[in-house]
Amino acid sequence: IAGFSFAAFSVGAAFILKHEGLGWGDVKLAVMLGAFLGAWPGLLVIVLIASLLGSAVGIAHMVITRKRAYLPFGPALAGAGLAYLLYGEAILTGLLPGIAMSLGLI
C-alpha cells in the first residue's frame, strides 16, 4: 500500500506539474523502509518526520540563497528512517502519544 501510494503520488505529480515531482528512487526507498521498519506506524512516522525535515531544509535554502530549487527527498527519508530506527519508541511516545497508546507502548 505504501509503495502504491508513493508511486501514485509520483505519477500524479508528474502529470500535474509536467515534470518529476517525486523520483522513483524515493518510491523504492519508502517501500524498503516500510518493509524493514513496518508500514504502521513506522512508515507513517518516517514520512511525517521526513516531510518536516525536508520542509525545514527547503525553507532554509530559500532564505539563504533567495531562489527556489528542487531538493531531493531521499536524504530526508533516509535521515528520518535512521532516526526512527534509533529512537522510534521515544519519537512515538513523545510526538504521537495516541498511536503509542494503541500499540501498548504507554
Side-chain angles (χ1 to χ4, degrees):
I1 293 173
F4 176 75
S5 300
F6 272 81
F9 183 80
S10 178
V11 171
F15 180 73
I16 293 170
L17 300 174
K18 304 295 185 222
H19 58 83
E20 194 174 54
L22 184 69
W24 287 102
D26 299 331
V27 174
K28 293 174 191 175
L29 180 60
V31 169
M32 187 270 309
L33 288 171
F36 283 109
L37 299 175
W40 172 258
L43 192 61
L44 174 75
V45 174
I46 290 170
V47 170
L48 175 68
I49 293 171
S51 298
L52 294 173
L53 182 63
S55 296
V57 169
I59 290 170
H61 182 268
M62 286 181 5
V63 167
I64 292 170
T65 63
R66 302 207 183 273
K67 53 181 148 177
R68 297 176 65 171
Y70 295 103
L71 299 175
F73 190 56
L77 272 175
L82 182 63
Y84 183 78
L85 179 67
L86 296 175
Y87 306 109
E89 190 172 328
I91 291 171
L92 279 174
T93 56
L95 295 178
L96 303 167
I99 294 175
M101 280 181 31
S102 70
L103 294 172
L105 297 175
I106 296 178

